Amino acid sequence: MLSLLFLAKKRKRTLEETVELIQQGDTALNNELIESYKPFIAKTVSSVCKRYIHESDDEFSIGLIAFNEAIQKYSPDKGSSLISFSEVLIKRRVIDYIRKQSKFQNLSFNGGSNLEDDDAGSAIEDELSIEDFRKKTDEELRKEEILQFTQILQEFDLTFSDLIEQSPKHADARKNAMTVAKILVENDELKNILYDKKKLPIKQLESYVSLSRKTIERNRKYIIAISLILTGDYIFLKDYIKGVLET
């Protein structure tokens, strides 16, 4: 029986532990992880391109680079898994690549003066297809962002319904709440309290903002939500915040 203790298998390293070792400089482990996740990368890139992707395709190379970027940037504190985080990042990088390619093609088309009518018509159809593709992929990414954000909100006992009900009614009030959130995330001490205790550090915030404690408490849920967006990888949601703050 005693010998069975020495035959026991070692505990399998978690993906998060593997990433932590890689971020500490284990390049061999980094290469192993990328190699083992090539099927996942190809599948994710294929879902964007709407066709089967080979490892020789440029889009696959973009996906590999994006996956490696995800490994280096990943932090479990953000609430999502590496797989979810890398999937979003891969899709964004591939879409950016497609957009750049389509812009180049469009410039080439506009710069030419000897195109036949048929060729011009075909180029216009291609451009319309690309625009339709952009809308669809943007919509898919927006849905993924909202889904991930909803999961993070649950950790703070919040829901989207809460945000709708608690959102400040006036534009100035919303802008003030967003400013408070921006101040919070730029202060490491306040940000750590938010994530560690899963609640807004109202008492500490009073020293940094001109709003009353009552106003901060009234907009507590909204400020927490905006803070989570500002510290997360949310391109579309951040665009909304940026638009409000710049008005």
Side-chain angles (χ1 to χ4, degrees):
M1 290 293 294
L2 187 60
S3 61
L4 292 177
L5 294 176
F6 297 97
L7 293 175
K9 293 182 179 179
K10 289 184 178 179
R11 182 180 67 86
K12 187 177 180 181
R13 187 192 300 125
T14 66
L15 185 55
E16 285 70 24
E17 289 171 341
T18 299
V19 171
E20 187 176 355
L21 290 173
I22 291 172
Q23 290 175 347
Q24 291 172 1
D26 194 329
T27 55
L29 195 57
N30 188 35
N31 294 334
E32 287 178 17
L33 187 63
I34 292 175
E35 187 66 30
S36 63
Y37 274 87
K38 278 186 176 181
F40 162 75
I41 296 169
K43 181 180 178 182
T44 303
V45 175
S46 295
S47 70
V48 175
C49 298
K50 309 300 180 185
R51 62 181 174 83
Y52 181 78
I53 292 295
H54 299 272
E55 291 192 12
S56 58
D57 291 329
D58 290 341
E59 292 86 351
F60 182 78
S61 297
I62 299 298
L64 278 179
I65 295 170
F67 185 73
N68 185 63
E69 181 185 353
I71 293 172
Q72 302 304 323
K73 290 184 175 180
Y74 175 71
S75 172
D77 295 338
K78 291 185 177 181
S80 61
S81 67
L82 172 67
I83 300 304
S84 298
F85 177 62
S86 61
E87 184 177 10
V88 172
L89 197 59
I90 290 170
K91 288 181 177 180
R92 286 174 181 165
R93 295 295 180 262
V94 172
I95 288 171
D96 286 343
Y97 171 77
I98 293 172
R99 284 174 173 169
K100 287 177 182 178
Q101 292 297 106
S102 65
K103 284 180 181 178
F104 174 77
Q105 291 169 1
N106 193 39
L107 286 172
S108 298
F109 166 65
N110 290 334
S113 58
N114 297 319
L115 289 175
E116 297 293 334
D117 290 341
D118 289 344
D119 292 336
S122 177
I124 291 171
E125 287 177 5
D126 289 344
E127 182 61 26
L128 291 173
S129 298
I130 290 170
E131 182 60 30
D132 184 54
F133 169 76
R134 288 175 187 163
K135 291 178 181 178
K136 287 181 179 178
T137 50
D138 281 353
E139 184 62 27
E140 288 174 2
L141 287 174
R142 190 176 289 108
K143 288 179 180 178
E144 287 182 8
E145 273 197 2
I146 292 173
L147 180 61
Q148 288 189 355
F149 185 54
T150 301
Q151 293 173 345
I152 297 298
L153 285 175
Q154 290 174 356
E155 296 181 15
F156 291 79
D157 292 325
L158 296 176
T159 65
F160 255 109
S161 297
D162 290 333
L163 301 185
I164 294 172
E165 293 173 5
Q166 299 294 325
S167 176
K169 300 297 184 289
H170 300 289
D172 286 346
R174 286 195 296 273
K175 188 172 183 178
N176 286 336
M178 288 181 184
T179 301
V180 173
K182 189 171 183 292
I183 291 171
L184 186 152
V185 301
E186 289 175 350
N187 185 299
D188 289 338
E189 180 185 355
L190 298 179
K191 184 170 62 175
N192 289 336
I193 293 174
L194 174 66
Y195 275 93
D196 291 342
K197 297 187 177 181
K198 298 294 187 293
K199 66 179 184 180
L200 193 67
I202 296 176
K203 183 178 180 180
Q204 293 86 340
L205 268 172
E206 287 184 276
S207 303
Y208 295 91
V209 300
S210 58
L211 299 179
S212 67
R213 183 186 184 93
K214 185 177 180 181
T215 300
I216 298 173
E217 288 178 341
R218 184 171 61 247
N219 297 317
R220 176 182 63 84
K221 293 182 178 180
Y222 189 75
I223 294 171
I224 290 175
I226 299 301
S227 299
L228 296 177
I229 291 172
L230 290 173
T231 54
D233 192 31
Y234 306 111
I235 290 178
F236 296 100
L237 293 174
K238 281 182 180 177
D239 278 346
Y240 164 71
I241 295 173
K242 183 179 178 182
V244 174
L245 289 175
E246 289 181 349
T247 56

